[in-house]
Amino acid sequence: LIALTLGIIFAVTGAKNENGNEPLSALSGSGTAANPYTIATAADLLEFRNSVNSGTTYSGLYVKVTANITVPSGTAWTPIGSSTSYYFKGTFDGGGYTIQGTNTSENGGLYYSGSDYQYLGLFGCIQNATIKDLTLKSFFFDNSYGLIGYTYGNCTITNCDVYADSTTTYQIDAGGGYAGGFIGYCGGSTINISDCSFVTSGGNYSVYSSYYSGGFIGYSNATNLILTNNVVTLTPQNSVT
């Protein structure tokens, strides 16, 4: 039953917005700033992810996390906006809450188990989007980025934190691609990142790429990359190569 539920391509009964979006009807709210679509459980998070990866961009719409979310053990993760065919284009407000995994291996929390290591993170691809007020903890484990794989257009990321704690195995291996602890690749016009952090406090953490890698951002060719009051803290046993 669970597998069937997650595999559904949702038919939406609600009206389209001016950009042609058909938001996921299973989420509470109407998608406005005053009454955003809400994500309160891991099931809501997966349904939201599935809707974006089925073609709903959420352009001009608002989504808000309303509770701390712990992802069930053994949840193989496909990013929100899994490719440049499925950008997330709305506003995602973490509400000051935390999304976290449950353990230190592929059997606990979210992990990526595929072989295509492009656009990996909680969000894969975002365009003209805002991501704010969110914390990720003990989240990804192998071959992935923290918050976002790829940005495009004009994006704002503010007050977001990624923590790899002392019990986490946090390995980012992009091979010949772009590897970053917080964002893999910043492309587009203006990318504004403020009051964000990537922090490790021990554990087994590494960022590797034979092309470009960085503790915070792997690579940027954005016309304007604006970084304000961001913090990166790596403990001595961690590495970026």
Side-chain angles (χ1 to χ4, degrees):
L1 177 59
I2 294 175
L4 290 175
T5 301
L6 295 181
I8 290 174
I9 303 300
F10 290 89
V12 179
T13 57
K16 293 182 179 180
N17 74 354
E18 67 273 14
N19 296 305
N21 284 316
E22 293 184 342
L24 182 63
S25 59
L27 295 178
S28 299
S30 61
T32 65
N35 186 28
Y37 294 111
T38 57
I39 295 175
T41 65
D44 289 343
L45 182 67
L46 293 175
E47 288 180 348
F48 166 65
R49 185 274 312 276
N50 289 346
S51 71
V52 175
N53 293 347
S54 295
T56 301
T57 69
Y58 290 85
S59 178
L61 299 176
Y62 296 80
V63 180
K64 187 172 185 177
V65 177
T66 58
N68 292 322
I69 295 172
T70 299
V71 177
S73 297
T75 303
W77 182 249
T78 301
I80 301 162
S82 57
S83 74
T84 52
S85 296
Y86 300 107
Y87 283 106
F88 173 72
K89 300 181 180 181
T91 295
F92 187 92
D93 182 354
Y97 291 103
T98 297
I99 298 175
Q100 67 178 19
T102 56
N103 209 321
T104 59
S105 70
E106 291 184 355
N107 293 322
L110 293 181
Y111 70 97
Y112 181 73
S113 61
S115 58
D116 183 358
Y117 300 143
Q118 294 190 82
Y119 313 124
L120 301 183
L122 175 66
F123 289 87
C125 298
I126 67 171
Q127 180 181 14
N128 300 327
T130 295
I131 313 294
K132 64 179 182 178
D133 299 334
L134 178 66
T135 297
L136 303 182
K137 184 178 180 181
S138 303
F139 197 71
F140 294 104
F141 300 104
D142 292 313
N143 301 303
S144 56
Y145 313 127
L147 187 68
I148 301 165
Y150 177 62
T151 67
Y152 189 71
N154 297 302
C155 296
T156 298
I157 302 101
T158 186
N159 198 30
C160 293
D161 303 299
V162 175
Y163 289 100
D165 62 25
S166 60
T167 63
T168 301
T169 298
Y170 191 102
Q171 175 182 332
I172 298 171
D173 184 351
Y178 307 95
F182 192 79
I183 296 175
Y185 188 122
C186 286
S189 299
T190 298
I191 309 300
N192 195 328
I193 306 171
S194 63
D195 300 306
C196 294
S197 68
F198 177 73
V199 178
T200 71
S201 57
N204 181 14
Y205 165 78
S206 65
V207 174
Y208 169 79
S209 173
S210 60
Y211 200 28
Y212 292 101
S213 61
F216 193 66
I217 296 171
Y219 177 80
S220 175
N221 67 354
T223 304
N224 296 297
L225 177 62
I226 303 171
L227 302 174
T228 308
N229 297 328
N230 302 297
V231 175
V232 177
T233 303
L234 305 179
T235 54
Q237 64 266 44
N238 305 143
S239 65
V240 178
T241 59

